[in-house]
Amino acid sequence: MFDPLSPEMLRDPFPVYAAMRREAPVHWHEPLRAWLVLRHEDCTRVVTDSTVFSSDIAVLGEEPPTAVIGIQNVDPPHHAAVRHLLVRGLRGVDMRDWVKTCAEYAEKLLAGADPDRFDFIREFAEPLSLESMRLLFGVPDFGEPDRFHAAQRALVLSMDAGLDPTRGAAGVPAREYLSGLLDPWVAEPPDDGLLRHVDFDAAGPLRRLLVNSLRQVLVAGFSSSSSLLGQAVHLLVERDLLDQDEPMTLSTAAYNEIVRYTSVVQADSRACAEDVEIGGQRIERGQEVLAVLASANRDPEVFERPDELRLDRAPNPHLGFGRGAHSCLGTALATALHVPTLNALSRRYRVEPAAAAEIRPSATLRGLDRLPLRLLPR
Ligand code: HEM
């Protein structure tokens, strides 16, 4: 049954998606009050056709607080304008230096690890993702670490407000807090990094949207990035791929297969801006549509033996980083950070599970709260 916060679906949602994809690939889900779209072809259409499937929730008749609205929630032309400013800002950052400094930090975390009980989430994935964003933004810190983590967690849990309305309220102050962390640096940019290279003056009236979009970069760069790192290592450990005599050498193709297989961003929401037919169903203007990317990534029409992890899979047109105008702005960053990091972990240690992983109770962004590992030096 489709109950994404149930323990069964939090552990493994893919059998449920497979059944829905076969039986009702586009259907109305009353509790969510949204259309669920499960096939690869239909999900691709939903996330790429921004004229029909808008990112602006005002189309649903909802008035979101301004604190919430960033690049992920706007359509062209504002979307293109803000994305352009972010891309130009990112181009100003020395990526080689960023990757190198992140790798040094990762080495430091691994060198200081207790090999008998290493919580990969709390002691590696989260601190590395936080440091990677600190370096990217060019700031000395993101305030008090406990508050930062609490805000990120509240925000991630609030993504499931459609499934559990009690989670929604905490998301707004969390977003305000995280955007507020950036405000002083926007007023007085640091010497280097993304905040130095983003042209705030060019944003004109879109300045608030741009700052909120930078917050979305920060949230994705911490939460999506650490969630993926955790899921990736959990998967590799489960498959004994980090416990081999020879260290693993993960290629970019293999990394993309992990992104497909784990699908940490489970679904993308859009608002139907005009009446449309998709997968034989008539969807009306003003209704919400959820493209279930995780289901699309296991669609047998597109992926041969989709439930097999094939590290040499090619081609691999997964939707794990989205597709189209709103596709992940951090794909290159995440890949450049994660591939060498996972390889460095494997070069230094053979890795075994030390205890069961604890699953974070979040459905939209799948992740772990704890991943206890045993590290065996090579
Ligand atoms: C350095 C790390 C990352 C950064 C800075 C980042 C940043 C972003 C930003 C700013 C967007 C919004 C783009 C837009 O609306 O135009 C986005 C979208 C997206 N990101 Fe990332 N991201 C990162 C890592 C990841 C990871 C690890 C995943 C999953 C494996 C992921 C999956 C996605 C997806 C699926 C979307 C599309 C959302 C949509 O269509 O509405 N991201 N990312």
Side-chain angles (χ1 to χ4, degrees):
M1 198 185 100
F2 184 71
D3 178 6
L5 290 175
S6 65
E8 296 76 31
M9 270 196 85
L10 285 171
R11 200 173 53 248
D12 182 9
F14 297 102
V16 176
Y17 296 148
M20 293 199 301
R21 212 169 38 236
R22 268 192 316 268
E23 289 155 24
V26 178
H27 69 271
W28 177 253
H29 189 263
E30 184 54 32
L32 276 173
R33 298 210 48 76
W35 289 91
L36 298 181
V37 175
L38 294 133
R39 293 172 60 236
H40 187 280
E41 186 185 346
D42 296 335
C43 284
T44 305
R45 185 170 160 209
V46 169
V47 294
T48 54
D49 184 349
S50 57
T51 313
V52 175
F53 301 102
S54 165
S55 292
D56 180 354
I57 64 169
V59 172
L60 302 177
E62 292 172 23
E63 262 308 322
T66 30
V68 172
I69 305 299
I71 187 171
Q72 285 174 295
N73 323 97
V74 287
D75 293 322
H78 287 170
H79 176 265
V82 171
R83 185 148 171 140
H84 177 69
L85 290 170
L86 291 178
V87 169
R88 270 191 30 206
L90 284 169
R91 282 207 196 110
V93 178
D94 183 339
M95 284 303 160
R96 262 199 205 177
D97 188 54
W98 179 73
V99 171
K100 187 169 152 277
T101 318
C102 289
E104 286 164 3
Y105 187 76
E107 280 294 327
K108 221 167 75 186
L109 292 173
L110 291 178
D114 172 357
D116 290 327
R117 208 175 170 89
F118 180 57
D119 180 359
F120 185 77
I121 305 301
R122 302 284 166 92
E123 295 176 64
F124 190 84
E126 290 187 352
L128 175 63
S129 303
L130 174 56
E131 180 66 2
S132 76
M133 286 301 109
R134 191 190 71 73
L135 292 164
L136 184 77
F137 279 74
V139 299
D141 57 60
F142 287 115
E144 221 264 290
D146 286 350
R147 278 198 79 184
F148 179 85
H149 283 95
Q152 288 274 0
R153 189 179 176 82
L155 199 157
V156 167
L157 295 182
S158 79
M159 293 175 187
D160 298 326
L163 299 160
D164 174 0
T166 62
R167 294 181 178 201
V172 177
R175 284 173 173 87
E176 276 166 355
Y177 175 73
L178 292 167
S179 292
L181 289 178
L182 301 177
D183 283 336
W185 301 110
V186 172
E188 209 171 315
D191 293 339
D192 205 0
L194 181 57
L195 293 173
R196 155 67 52 197
H197 296 288
V198 168
D199 187 350
F200 291 100
D201 292 338
L206 302 181
R207 197 180 170 90
R208 190 69 246 167
L209 182 64
L210 179 59
V211 176
N212 286 347
S213 304
L214 282 160
R215 182 248 299 149
Q216 290 180 340
V217 173
L218 173 60
V219 170
F222 176 77
S223 289
S224 305
S225 179
S226 56
S227 298
L228 177 65
L229 266 180
Q231 294 286 6
V233 168
H234 190 216
L235 175 67
L236 294 168
V237 167
E238 266 185 338
R239 303 296 166 99
D240 286 334
L241 290 168
L242 288 176
D243 192 19
Q244 305 290 315
D245 291 340
E246 287 300 310
M248 170 192 75
T249 310
L250 204 67
S251 63
T252 305
Y255 174 71
N256 274 284
E257 173 66 351
I258 292 172
V259 171
R260 177 191 78 85
Y261 198 85
T262 54
S263 291
V264 294
V265 178
Q266 293 272 290
D268 240 1
S269 161
R270 296 289 190 270
C272 202
E274 48 191 72
D275 294 355
V276 68
E277 194 178 306
I278 186 161
Q281 297 288 340
R282 185 111 194 114
I283 299 186
E284 287 170 22
R285 183 191 144 73
Q287 290 184 319
E288 185 174 354
V289 179
L290 276 182
V292 186
L293 304 177
S295 165
N297 283 343
R298 299 287 184 103
D299 188 340
E301 294 286 325
V302 175
F303 302 101
E304 198 185 293
R305 295 186 181 271
D307 295 321
E308 273 176 23
L309 176 74
R310 291 187 178 176
L311 293 177
D312 59 354
R313 189 181 288 277
N316 193 345
H318 68 78
L319 301 181
F321 285 124
R323 184 74 67 82
H326 283 279
S327 68
C328 179
L329 192 70
T331 304
L333 290 177
T335 309
L337 176 66
H338 294 161
V339 173
T341 296
L342 293 169
N343 287 333
L345 169 69
S346 181
R347 265 199 312 278
R348 190 181 260 270
Y349 297 112
R350 282 176 43 224
V351 184
E352 293 175 349
E358 283 175 31
I359 298 171
R360 184 176 60 209
S362 58
T364 307
L365 186 65
R366 287 186 80 215
L368 299 172
D369 274 336
R370 284 182 199 278
L371 178 56
L373 300 177
R374 189 168 303 113
L375 304 174
L376 311 165
R378 287 193 184 276

